[in-house]
Amino acid sequence: MIEVVGVRFKHAGKIYYFSPGDLKLAESDKVIVETARGVEFGELVIPSRYVTDEEVIPPLKQVMRKATASDEQFVGLNKTKEKEAFQICLKKIAEHQLPMKLVDVEYTFDGNKIIFSFTAEGRVDFRELVKDLAAIFRTRIELRQIGVRDEAKMLGGVGSCGRILCCTSFLGDFEPVSIRMAKDQKLSLNPTKISGICGRLMCCLKYENGCYKSEDKEHCPRHNTQVGEKMSITPDKANSRAESVFSAKPDGTLQRNRKGEKPKGKSERV
């Protein structure tokens, strides 16, 4: 078992494990850590706990220190610089007439790298653009092509349900979603009804999908069965109970049977 803490660098972003070392850290503490991208500023969202070796991706790096007030001010300054860099990059993209859409700009905490995220229909030759940006900012430049789901997560928005997008508000990782999930849940297969604003299948199709595959489904009444107030959900009794709750009149209408009264004539399932 290994002692770790969970650190997140963006709101609703992925959680990464780090070793707390000798530091006494609590949830919501701001920390400075070293990552593959360089030194980063993050928030501790999972307090110290022990996990198995299989849950940790080596090498497990250690939290460098707690963040100070000056560190937070520096992060705010980087946010201002990101807005300026965004406008500069837009102009350079237009100058080079590149078929790409700039989505986000991010400075690493130490300022040693600027990451420009964009979307495009296919591959884009942005070598000249990188040279221009490196000459302007005099630091390492990374252009990263992202998908439409990542774009929606970065930009945010409101879904068809009227709530803030799941990927923006709480989803750390995207999970695979298939049209089979919509079929299992008897949902409309109209693309406009089961697709999010990103144009892909809605992430929420995954939420209840497990219930439709669980063993408990076998103990539920069959589809289109009329369920009584005190109906047993045992499979072999579900149908007989449903038939005893209602019976058909000669004119074709249904009537509810009194408690303990057996249906008169032929009953029909509704």
Side-chain angles (χ1 to χ4, degrees), residues 99-143:
M100 55 192 289
K101 176 186 176 183
L102 185 63
V103 176
D104 185 60
V105 178
E106 181 184 1
Y107 269 78
T108 58
F109 176 76
D110 54 13
N112 288 335
K113 182 190 290 188
I114 309 176
I115 303 168
F116 296 85
S117 300
F118 70 94
T119 59
E121 293 293 335
R123 296 179 61 88
V124 179
D125 184 1
F126 48 69
R127 288 174 293 183
E128 294 301 322
L129 175 61
V130 171
K131 292 179 182 178
D132 288 351
L133 294 176
I136 294 172
F137 298 106
R138 298 190 178 279
T139 188
R140 293 176 59 193
I141 302 295
E142 178 181 334
L143 266 74

Side-chain angles (χ1 to χ4, degrees), residues 221-256:
R222 294 181 181 179
H223 187 60
N224 289 332
T225 297
Q226 181 67 41
V227 180
E229 296 177 356
K230 297 182 179 180
M231 176 179 175
S232 172
I233 62 172
T234 306
D236 57 348
K237 296 181 180 180
N239 292 336
S240 60
R241 176 58 180 166
E243 292 177 353
S244 65
V245 172
F246 288 94
S247 60
K249 293 182 179 180
D251 60 359
T253 60
L254 296 177
Q255 66 177 1
R256 179 185 290 273

Side-chain angles (χ1 to χ4, degrees), residues 2-4 17-19 56-62:
I2 303 175
E3 184 181 12
V4 298
Y17 284 150
F18 291 87
S19 170
V56 177
I57 300 176
L60 180 66
K61 296 190 176 182
Q62 186 173 319

